Amino acid sequence: MPTMSAILVLGLLFPAAVAQYSQFVNQFVGTGGEGFGIGSVPPGAQAPFGAVRLSPDTVYTDNVWLDFNHFGGYYYGDTHVRVFSHTHMVGSGAVDYGTVGVMPAAAAPASETVVNYGFRSAFSHKKEQAAPGYYSVYLDDAGVLAELSATTHVGAHRYTFDKGVKQPTILFAASHTLTPKACAGAYVEIDIGAMEVRGYNVNNGGLSSRFGGVTTYFVAKFSQPFASVGVWNASGVQPGVAVVNSTVGGGWVSFAPGTGPIEYFLGLSFISIDQARVNLDAEGGPKPTFDAIRNETATVWEERLSLIEINTNASRTDLVKFYTAFYHTLLAPTTFSEVGGIYLGFDNQVHTLNASQPTYYTDMSIWDVHRSEFPWLAFVQPDVQRDVVRSLLLMFQQGGDLPKWPLANGYTGCMTGSHTLVVLADALAKNLGGYDAELAYNASRQVATTNEAHAGRTDIVDWINKGYVPFENDTRGCTESLEYAYDDWAVGQQAAMLGHADDAALFTNRSRQWRNLWNPQYKFFCPKNYAGDWLCPPTWVNVFDERYVEGDAWHYRFYVPHEVDALIELFGAETYVDELTKFFELAEADNANILPNPYYWAGNEPDILSVWEFAWAGRADLTQKYSRWTMNHRFNEFPDGLPGLAWLSIAGLQIVTPCPGTSIVIRNPSKTDQHRHNFRMTCE
């Protein structure tokens, strides 16, 4: 497998010569909007795929907090910063993490200010900046310029207080989590002599609570002496006390008036406090400085973003849209291995990676990314995607089952389908190599044939014996049946590529069971009950219909990724094109970017690649027409301009894996403007 060193795009959908790529990244894209149109991305500082995502957790005036707006911790419409926390999810529709919260303040806290985030501070977007690996904001109430940077496991902080601040203070809100009241335990210990603060947070968040929670350990080292210290718990503040252990609490360190810019560096670990210190020493060095870490991480980002180079002429808007989208695809999954190659496995034991696997990854919303982010990474960062596959197999070996939505070191069981099987089939089809393909196949076969303890299929018995999941057993049985068909096809693909002919036939035949829920009268997919009666919805455009997962009947109408030709045959070729065109025309009529749109929704899994299905029916011109329309109208360079993380990168290059699990790629399917599509890739 060649190693990609650069990609050169000449005049594609986003042409123009650039010298520095980070200048085109706008980290606030995806932090605003409404409904499912919120991108849920933290705008703060992190290294590519970093464990530390050091970013502000914000709130509206009077501490108004809506979970849905804060899956990434930060919402552009907010007015106050609660804390800067070190862990976040990226682009996920669930609330979790937000651990190891810190906050500068103009004075040591009082008992009334540690309740309900009384130490929060107003801020203005006019005094806020971000660049890859860096974030800064002036906090009005605290009178301080806060600057943040990060390495993979270290958060770098620099706080410059106004001259009039008499007691510069750093608060460690140890019990802070994004999920309200999710802290099951918080510990802070202040070592005055060592100028160090250490501790941990046990977080039972929206997803992590499903497997017993996640513990995040930290060590923060300062270079300036503390003038005073204290802690707080549910009973109030305790000045002069240096240790607290509580489900509600934290600590603070204060400095002498006029103390210059306060720099400190916080090492993070999911294993232990000692390992947090190891991570800090290894990545920060013996005498870290904020500027050194900021510059180092900026260089790393520039190297990653330079993988795609755009030449000739383009607007700055298009460059910002593309490179911001590319940047977002390099934020997740999360590096879960630590310095020394150790990581906390799904068996809750500490393991060491072998020398052939540099990184162990987790935090994978596979339902969302198996047809977008992961095929994209296989193209632009195959080394990363190879380690993703290796990580999934380690989860299988140490936990017993393949996960479908792994977070930290646990099974969340989130969402439907078994799309890890597609990820593994895609790795085999693209010849990523470097992993045990037979192990991957056996793990996939287990998912498709047994009732697993973790992340198993709903009603696998009826899926195998009846050919669909009945409505009585699961109201979402229609959706699940369509997904299982694709997933079983992925198992069949692995079997065929590995020479298991009988299994290939078995799973390929099962993959055709999607036909059992095709209603020929309406030409939509509908659920059936156990007796085989149709239970079609009263309307096809209810995006909250319990019959479908995160979508409506239109979104799933064209969802047969592995057998588009067969679906076209059921429609009739002309009708198929007409109905797919109607799907996009109706989407065009909705000018609002408030999602979910009942028609084409580029940011969600079921129909994310539908725009490329025109090519199967011989109408690549319509693929180009509607992909361009989507890029121009659903994506922009403003906070509400990110309905989906990887879609714009895929569409920008027009190099699409329409059915992950095969090596088939649609490239530049245009019959017009062909002169704008010259592509070459340099490899070594």
Side-chain angles (χ1 to χ4, degrees), residues 45-54 86-87 100 149-157 216-220 265-271 275-284 293 296-297 334-343 358-361:
Q46 79 160 90
F49 308 108
V52 168
R53 297 189 178 99
L54 179 50
H86 288 73
T87 63
V100 191
S149 189
T151 66
T152 302
H153 297 97
V154 174
H157 300 250
T216 309
Y217 302 90
F218 70 92
V219 171
F265 306 91
L266 188 148
L268 179 145
S269 172
F270 296 101
I271 295 173
Q275 183 62 34
R277 185 177 289 106
V278 169
N279 295 341
L280 174 57
D281 291 343
E283 295 184 9
I293 287 178
E296 176 186 341
T297 303
T334 301
T335 297
F336 205 62
S337 51
E338 306 187 19
V339 172
I342 64 174
Y343 66 95
T359 308
Y360 177 92
Y361 292 104

Side-chain angles (χ1 to χ4, degrees), residues 487-511:
D487 297 335
D488 280 356
W489 171 87
V491 183
Q493 287 294 105
Q494 292 181 71
M497 286 184 276
L498 295 172
H500 304 299
D502 290 345
D503 277 1
L506 170 69
F507 291 109
T508 299
N509 285 334
R510 272 195 208 160
S511 76

Side-chain angles (χ1 to χ4, degrees), residues 430-601:
K430 290 184 169 66
N431 194 28
L432 286 183
Y435 69 96
D436 188 337
E438 286 290 346
L439 176 65
Y441 172 66
N442 290 332
S444 299
R445 196 183 193 284
Q446 176 177 304
V447 174
T449 58
T450 63
N451 188 8
E452 294 184 304
H454 308 105
R457 292 184 173 185
T458 299
D459 196 9
I460 191 170
V461 174
D462 281 329
W463 165 247
I464 293 173
N465 295 331
K466 291 187 68 65
Y468 64 92
V469 177
F471 185 82
E472 299 97 318
N473 295 352
D474 195 318
T475 61
R476 308 168 301 175
C478 177
T479 291
E480 291 178 326
S481 298
L482 295 175
E483 292 180 312
Y484 294 161
Y486 180 30
D487 297 335
D488 280 356
W489 171 87
V491 183
Q493 287 294 105
Q494 292 181 71
M497 286 184 276
L498 295 172
H500 304 299
D502 290 345
D503 277 1
L506 170 69
F507 291 109
T508 299
N509 285 334
R510 272 195 208 160
S511 76
R512 295 169 179 150
Q513 292 176 176
W514 59 268
R515 293 167 173 82
N516 294 332
L517 296 180
W518 172 255
N519 186 296
Q521 177 183 357
Y522 298 116
K523 290 185 167 54
F524 279 90
F525 289 105
C526 294
K528 285 181 178 178
N529 61 21
Y530 198 85
D533 302 318
W534 290 109
L535 296 173
C536 292
T539 174
W540 308 114
V541 292
N542 178 6
V543 294
F544 301 107
D545 194 313
E546 65 180 4
R547 296 166 179 81
Y548 306 96
V549 176
E550 284 193 16
D552 58 24
W554 270 102
H555 293 139
Y556 284 92
R557 193 180 190 190
F558 307 100
Y559 181 81
V560 189
H562 58 295
E563 286 197 293
V564 177
D565 287 337
L567 182 63
I568 291 173
E569 185 177 346
L570 289 179
F571 267 101
E574 185 175 344
T575 302
Y576 179 84
V577 173
D578 289 345
E579 291 301 303
L580 191 56
T581 301
K582 182 188 296 184
F583 184 45
F584 284 90
E585 288 178 342
L586 291 168
E588 282 183 316
D590 184 352
N591 292 321
N593 218 15
I594 300 176
L595 298 173
N597 188 311
Y599 301 103
Y600 184 56
W601 180 6

Side-chain angles (χ1 to χ4, degrees), residues 43 127 161 171 177 196 216 224 246 248 259 293 315 323 347 376 398 405 418 428 488 502 547 560:
K127 297 180 181 180
F161 286 87
L171 288 76
T177 57
E196 180 179 287
T216 309
Q224 291 121 313
S246 175
V248 178
T259 300
I293 287 178
S315 68
Y323 279 104
D347 56 0
W376 170 255
Q398 293 158 12
W405 210 122
S418 311
L428 190 59
D488 280 356
D502 290 345
R547 296 166 179 81
V560 189

